[in-house]
Amino acid sequence: MNLNVLVLPGDGIGTEVTREAVRVLRHVAAKWNHTLNITEGLLGGIAIHKTGTPFPEETARLAAAADATLMGAVGLPEFDDAPPEKRPEKGLLGIRQALGVYANLRPVRAYASQLDSSPLKNHLVEGTDMIIVRELTGGIYYGTPRGITGDGAEMRAVNTMTYSRFEIERVSRMAFHLARARRKKVTSVDKSNVLENSQLWRRVVTEMGRSYPDVELDHMLVDNCAMQLILNPKRFDIVLTENMFGDILSDEGAVLAGSIGMLPSASIGDQRPSGAWVGLYEPVHGSAPDIAGQNKANPLGAIGSVAAMMSYSFGLKEEAAAVETAIEAVLASRHVTADLRPSGAPATTEQVGLAVCAAIG
Ligand code: NAD
């Protein structure tokens, strides 16, 4: 198979974890005789430095031409006080919107060998296995009007949370489809006791659920969900929610999985005429300026994102399973990065990447 992949390493540890993810991608392609064509592009802080904008047109063009995009992370402390338009994170929102990847799938699993990495008691996290499906191209991160106006005491800021029926339907469909291949349970999360936006969300998800009578649907308020994810994570199979709630809740997944460095993600858009899904793959974590450049970032979230790419964009289930099994083997070896509290000296980012390749064989 021909695999045309755009790689956007981004900033900070984004470049380090992406290097290892690409190592694994090359290894898989060689082992299964796929023709891999990798193009590299600019996104985030590095793109601002080189082109003046966080999401250059050239990057948009390359992403549209690629079969799949693998991204690291963006963000540099020097831009912390810059206006939103001039921040690296604007590049992230830009590419998600340009590719139309409206469903962000964030699997959260507690691996048996990693239970002690979680600050929660073992019996709480053991058996956790869910996918958080976060709407990614709508809601308050994109809604208008937005901005800051006025001066002094009259200064005012506004953001707008907006969803259409169409936007809710398509991400719900994705959630119900995923549930069918798993434990057949969708928990839709909203704030319908306060927000009209959430009332529409709940109404549309309920209507969609009628087309999937084999899938159990329940609704939960976001504040309760934040608590239940910690108290009883095993109760969740698919968690379906809007953009900002999903952004916040999915970081709780880091507590369940033991480290944010563990968590992969797949952002999926429409199906192309070839049948492949438009896909953007990235670890959940950010650019981690506090550990950048030290070869100690955990690359397993980025490597897990390669497994997701194999599965969703290329339909290569055997290759995806091989990468996931190799991740489990490396975790079981306990020669892992510092964030996972290894048994001996911590492994470097590079050593973990090499170990995953060795485990794939
Ligand atoms: P972060 O995820 O970068 O870091 C949070 C904490 O987790 C830090 O202590 C960091 O050292 C640790 N961590 C993160 N990834 C790790 C890994 N792979 N291995 C080991 N430890 C890891 O979040 P932050 O500090 O809030 O944000 C830093 C920058 O990243 C900001 O500019 C932010 O806007 C940006 N950001 C980008 C993305 C993205 O590109 N998708 C996501 C979140 C944050």
Side-chain angles (χ1 to χ4, degrees):
M1 191 169 179
N2 286 323
L3 315 178
N4 297 308
V5 177
L6 172 65
V7 175
L8 304 170
D11 307 315
I13 64 164
T15 59
E16 299 166 55
V17 297
T18 304
R19 194 175 304 126
E20 299 315 313
V22 168
R23 188 194 301 280
V24 172
L25 185 56
R26 287 192 194 282
H27 187 83
V28 168
K31 177 164 172 164
W32 274 271
N33 284 322
H34 300 301
T35 307
L36 179 63
N37 177 19
I38 291 185
T39 316
E40 197 164 305
L42 297 171
L43 188 81
I46 185 165
I48 301 178
H49 280 305
K50 294 205 171 166
T51 70
T53 163
F55 181 43
E57 273 175 30
E58 172 68 0
T59 303
R61 198 187 60 72
L62 291 173
D67 298 326
T69 299
L70 178 67
M71 211 167 74
V74 301
L76 291 174
E78 69 203 72
F79 294 110
D80 278 356
D81 297 324
E85 293 299 315
K86 289 281 171 201
R87 287 183 61 117
E89 292 80 356
K90 187 73 186 171
L92 204 60
L93 299 183
I95 190 164
R96 288 170 177 169
Q97 197 169 38
L99 284 174
V101 284
Y102 56 81
N104 182 223
L105 281 39
R106 299 185 159 193
V108 179
R109 268 182 73 188
Y111 291 92
S113 58
Q114 291 309 305
L115 296 182
D116 287 338
S117 303
S118 171
L120 299 177
K121 293 190 175 75
N122 284 6
H123 75 271
L124 284 179
V125 281
E126 193 171 14
T128 297
D129 181 2
M130 72 181 88
I131 301 181
I132 300 177
V133 178
R134 164 189 172 197
E135 200 291 329
L136 200 63
T137 53
I140 198 165
Y141 291 176
Y142 291 95
T144 52
R146 65 183 296 160
I148 302 177
T149 53
D151 284 310
E154 297 304 314
M155 209 169 179
R156 182 173 293 276
V158 61
N159 289 96
T160 302
M161 184 187 254
T162 167
Y163 272 110
S164 67
R165 171 180 285 276
F166 169 75
E167 288 174 304
I168 304 168
E169 279 180 0
R170 63 182 180 176
V171 72
S172 304
R173 204 172 290 121
M174 181 78 74
F176 283 111
H177 271 287
L178 287 170
R180 271 192 169 156
R182 293 172 48 92
R183 301 197 306 278
K184 298 190 173 56
K185 186 169 176 194
V186 171
T187 302
S188 175
V189 177
D190 62 42
K191 189 71 185 167
S192 60
N193 54 341
V194 178
L195 300 174
E196 285 79 0
N197 200 273
S198 281
Q199 285 165 3
L200 180 67
W201 181 276
R202 191 173 282 216
R203 191 191 312 169
V204 174
V205 174
T206 304
E207 286 170 16
M208 293 296 292
R210 293 193 191 112
S211 305
Y212 300 85
D214 51 325
V215 178
E216 184 192 334
L217 169 66
D218 65 350
H219 300 274
M220 193 178 275
L221 296 176
V222 62
D223 34 358
N224 184 28
C225 183
M227 185 168 67
Q228 296 303 328
L229 278 170
I230 300 298
L231 284 180
N232 187 14
K234 272 172 278 200
R235 79 176 294 292
F236 296 104
D237 179 15
I238 300 286
V239 177
L240 165 65
T241 192
E242 65 87 50
N243 201 344
M244 181 171 64
F245 297 161
D247 189 4
I248 297 168
L249 291 177
S250 56
D251 268 31
E252 284 193 310
V255 179
L256 300 167
S259 163
I260 194 154
M262 290 288 300
L263 300 178
S265 86
S267 304
I268 310 291
D270 287 329
Q271 233 168 339
R272 289 197 164 135
S274 66
W277 295 91
V278 174
L280 174 67
Y281 302 87
E282 52 175 317
V284 166
H285 63 76
S287 57
D290 53 335
I291 58 165
Q294 298 173 39
N295 198 16
K296 66 184 197 188
N298 183 349
L300 291 177
I303 293 171
S305 304
V306 169
M309 176 192 290
M310 291 293 141
S311 178
Y312 294 118
S313 278
F314 299 123
L316 299 173
K317 304 287 181 194
E318 187 185 329
E319 288 83 335
V323 175
E324 278 162 7
T325 306
I327 290 174
E328 283 193 62
V330 171
L331 288 171
S333 79
R334 302 294 297 132
H335 189 43
V336 287
T337 43
D339 53 311
L340 291 176
R341 304 184 204 167
S343 42
T348 63
T349 309
E350 187 181 4
Q351 283 169 338
V352 173
L354 289 167
V356 171
C357 291
I360 293 170

